[in-house]
Amino acid sequence: MSTVPASAATWTRRHLLGLEDLSAEEIIAILDTAESFAEVSDRPRKKVPALQGKVVFNLFFENSTRTRTSFSLAAKRLSADVQDFSASTSSLSKGESFIDTARNIEAMGSDVMIVRHSISGAPHLLSKHVRSSVINAGDGAHEHPTQGLLDLLTIRRKKGRIEGLTVGLVGDIAHSRVARSNIWGLTKLGAKVILCGPPTLVPRGFEQLGCEVAYHLDEVLPRLDVINVLRIQAERQQRGLFPSVSEYFYFYGVTQERILRSRPDVLLIAPGPINRGVELTPEVADGPNSAILDQVTNGLAVRMAVLYLVSGRAALANQPD
Amino acid sequence: MSRAESRLCGPDVMDELLQDLARQITEGRMPQTPLCLIGIRTRGVPIADRLAELIGGAVPPVGAVDITLYRDDLGRQGHWPVLKGTDIPFEVDDAEVVLVDDVLHTGRTVRAALNAVCDLGRPARVRLAVLIDRGGRELPIQADYSGKLLEVSTGDRIEVRLTPIDPADEVVRVGP
């Protein structure tokens, strides 16, 4: 599937709401566009005028540091005007609705809204009520498409391909929006996905998405070309989804010893923030198989590509879908 | 409806034009200053490659610049153009840069290329070499080195075709 000739000319969408809706060709078009933007970040002057005059709003209704910063920097590198919006200091606290808040922001001339929300589907809802392009920056446990795309770009750059690889997603799959975006993206581009974690965090239902489900990391390790370590969130632990952090680490923690039992060229990625000593050890996180910091760099290129592509469509249509 | 094509020159004349262009660049170059060629995508790149081989002395490095992100009409078309990528694997600081393109017309492409190159560093100077200068400038930009001047009607299009991108080396006028 990854051999499909891609072209940004195939991109006709005004929004990026998830990877579930995208074709393999569209995903490859984003990755190929991101490759061009990666070069911009290597220049002495890391800025191009492509989105000059465009206004990009960061609408974050849920906390985020790296995603918001990455989107802001990406928009600035394209010469857009960027404005951050924080829900905690907005009129939402006075009772204004989500849609009304967005419409008010749009009245200030926004071209692109980057939306993070704790409710799954919030960016989709917004896209039906505003003329701006909407980019999903993470909605509940649903999708985090740009994280999925930057993972795909990192794998493709490190491995030279995606088709035919076996990728293990290890950790809290049930509550992870990153996992869902990765599953859609990887399977569409021809990779095999193995989900691994405690049964409480890896429901069998994911097999319907074309994934293999496994509960013993040591058994699947030798088959993996890529290990994608997902974060165990403190709030989940309090709900008793596994007995203890130390037990989780014993069964699923990626240690140097486990890396040595993996393929020599196994690639380790993690969406972050990483919990050293919980999902993986410091020597693994900082070791030669780790591409965690490359992911951050690639995230910038992916977000520049997405902003570029959706803005082109917006310039054409500027109408609600 | 197909547009009428007339061939203005074939491979032999193309060779002569390229050799003349290479001679102009060699004679006009700054002494003691490293020379590099940067082709404007798409067909400026194979022309730059050929010129590099024809220029006397050490073969200068060749890069490619994609001016898409610097276009002044970005956003006017339906879809954003496909990015082909800038690839300049050498320093432009303090170098003599020769920008290379196939056809010089309005000057807007060259304006965009100049901005792109100046974002990569501070060259000692930048010169412009074009295979065909067809006139019709909309910006105050002129070629320093040109292979052939053509007077053509506003509605005509001049296409430079080069192997390996195209089947043969030729310059063609496509009528309105």
Side-chain angles (χ1 to χ4, degrees):
Chain A
M1 279 185 283
S2 58
T3 53
V4 174
S7 159
T10 63
W11 186 266
T12 57
R13 294 174 184 270
R14 192 155 59 88
H15 311 294
L16 177 71
L17 301 175
L19 298 192
E20 183 178 2
D21 297 338
L22 299 188
S23 66
E25 291 89 341
E26 288 172 314
I27 292 171
I28 293 169
I30 298 173
L31 300 184
D32 288 348
T33 306
E35 291 285 2
S36 294
F37 282 115
E39 174 267 321
V40 173
S41 293
D42 290 335
R43 296 180 185 181
R45 185 176 169 184
K46 301 169 177 58
K47 209 173 174 82
V48 291
L51 295 195
Q52 212 161 45
K54 300 273 185 189
V55 180
V56 174
F57 266 89
N58 269 329
L59 273 65
F60 278 64
F61 297 90
E62 192 184 71
N63 290 338
S64 163
T65 304
R66 79 191 60 216
T67 303
R68 192 185 63 214
T69 305
S70 180
F71 265 117
S72 288
L73 198 52
K76 286 172 184 171
R77 287 193 174 174
L78 294 170
S79 301
D81 293 322
V82 186
Q83 184 63 48
D84 281 340
F85 167 88
S86 170
S88 60
T89 56
S90 76
S91 291
L92 281 169
S93 58
K94 301 175 189 171
E96 185 176 61
S97 77
F98 172 55
I99 299 297
D100 281 340
T101 298
R103 281 180 168 161
N104 273 277
I105 283 168
E106 187 158 72
M108 296 179 208
S110 75
D111 295 291
V112 181
M113 293 183 182
I114 298 159
V115 182
R116 169 167 287 193
H117 207 290
S118 59
I119 306 295
S120 297
H124 303 67
L125 174 68
L126 195 62
S127 70
K128 297 183 189 324
H129 290 86
V130 295
R131 291 172 179 273
S132 304
S133 292
V134 175
I135 298 173
N136 182 357
D139 60 327
H142 178 228
E143 280 224 47
H144 192 349
T146 54
Q147 179 68 48
L149 289 163
L150 76 87
D151 289 342
L152 291 170
L153 183 64
T154 304
I155 294 169
R156 194 175 77 165
R157 294 188 110 189
K158 290 286 182 182
K159 293 286 187 185
R161 66 194 169 101
I162 290 170
E163 189 174 16
L165 295 179
T166 301
V167 180
L169 304 185
V170 181
D172 182 354
I173 309 298
H175 304 95
S176 173
R177 51 195 175 206
V178 175
R180 283 166 179 77
S181 289
N182 266 273
I183 290 167
W184 291 118
L186 287 164
T187 54
K188 284 179 182 186
L189 297 192
K192 178 175 179 55
V193 177
I194 300 177
L195 308 176
C196 186
T200 47
L201 298 180
V202 189
R204 282 274 177 203
F206 278 96
E207 287 173 333
Q208 293 171 8
L209 300 182
C211 304
E212 182 180 329
V213 169
Y215 300 122
H216 300 286
L217 180 58
D218 290 325
E219 288 179 8
V220 297
L221 263 183
R223 295 167 56 199
L224 302 182
D225 297 295
V226 182
I227 306 171
N228 190 352
V229 178
L230 302 179
R231 188 171 69 93
I232 294 300
Q233 297 163 36
E235 63 271 23
R236 315 285 185 218
Q237 295 163 25
Q238 287 159 10
R239 287 162 53 186
L241 293 170
F242 53 87
S244 70
V245 169
S246 59
E247 186 171 310
Y248 177 86
F249 179 71
Y250 178 80
F251 285 108
Y252 300 104
V254 180
T255 60
Q256 188 60 28
E257 191 271 332
R258 283 196 163 109
I259 288 289
L260 290 173
R261 282 192 283 114
S262 304
R263 292 182 177 180
D265 61 345
V266 70
L267 179 69
L268 183 98
I269 57 174
I274 57 172
N275 293 325
R276 291 169 187 261
V278 179
E279 301 101 5
L280 73 177
T281 58
E283 65 265 33
V284 170
D286 303 327
N289 299 83
S290 170
I292 292 173
L293 292 178
D294 296 297
Q295 288 175 273
V296 179
T297 306
N298 291 338
L300 204 49
V302 157
R303 289 174 178 121
M304 289 171 80
V306 169
L307 283 163
Y308 172 78
L309 291 170
V310 301
S311 297
R313 176 61 182 166
L316 169 72
N318 204 25
Q319 293 291 324
D321 283 338
Chain B
M1 203 173 79
S2 63
R3 304 171 78 189
E5 278 190 16
S6 57
R7 195 186 215 205
L8 302 178
C9 74
D12 292 345
V13 177
M14 179 85 85
D15 281 345
E16 288 171 16
L17 294 178
L18 287 167
Q19 283 172 21
D20 183 42
L21 207 48
R23 180 191 53 76
Q24 291 178 51
I25 294 170
T26 304
E27 289 176 0
R29 67 182 291 182
M30 293 171 78
Q32 312 302 322
T33 303
L35 174 71
C36 58
L37 306 184
I38 297 178
I40 300 174
R41 288 195 191 273
T42 302
R43 285 171 177 75
V45 181
I47 295 175
D49 282 331
R50 293 196 203 182
L51 289 174
E53 295 296 329
L54 293 169
I55 286 171
V59 178
V62 178
V65 64
D66 179 358
I67 56 102
T68 303
L69 298 170
Y70 292 82
R71 283 167 60 158
D72 58 7
D73 59 349
L74 202 54
R76 289 190 174 196
Q77 347 28 32
H79 300 126
W80 257 199
V82 178
L83 299 183
K84 299 185 180 77
T86 290
D87 180 18
I88 300 178
F90 48 80
E91 294 289 326
V92 299
D93 280 339
D94 303 318
E96 178 181 7
V97 172
V98 176
L99 272 176
V100 180
D101 206 359
D102 54 352
V103 179
L104 176 59
H105 184 202
T106 65
R108 290 177 189 271
T109 296
V110 176
R111 192 279 309 162
L114 275 170
N115 284 0
V117 168
C118 290
D119 274 356
L120 298 170
R122 190 176 186 279
R125 76 176 190 188
V126 182
R127 288 288 185 265
L128 174 63
V130 297
L131 193 68
I132 306 291
D133 182 347
R134 61 155 291 174
R137 227 71 83 231
E138 294 171 3
L139 295 175
I141 284 171
Q142 302 300 335
D144 300 288
Y145 315 119
S146 59
K148 189 177 183 66
L149 298 174
L150 286 176
E151 289 189 14
V152 291
S153 305
T154 311
D156 288 346
R157 198 170 71 230
I158 300 298
E159 290 185 5
V160 173
R161 297 170 184 166
L162 297 133
T163 56
I165 297 173
D166 305 299
D169 288 350
E170 59 182 358
V171 179
V172 172
R173 175 167 51 207
V174 184

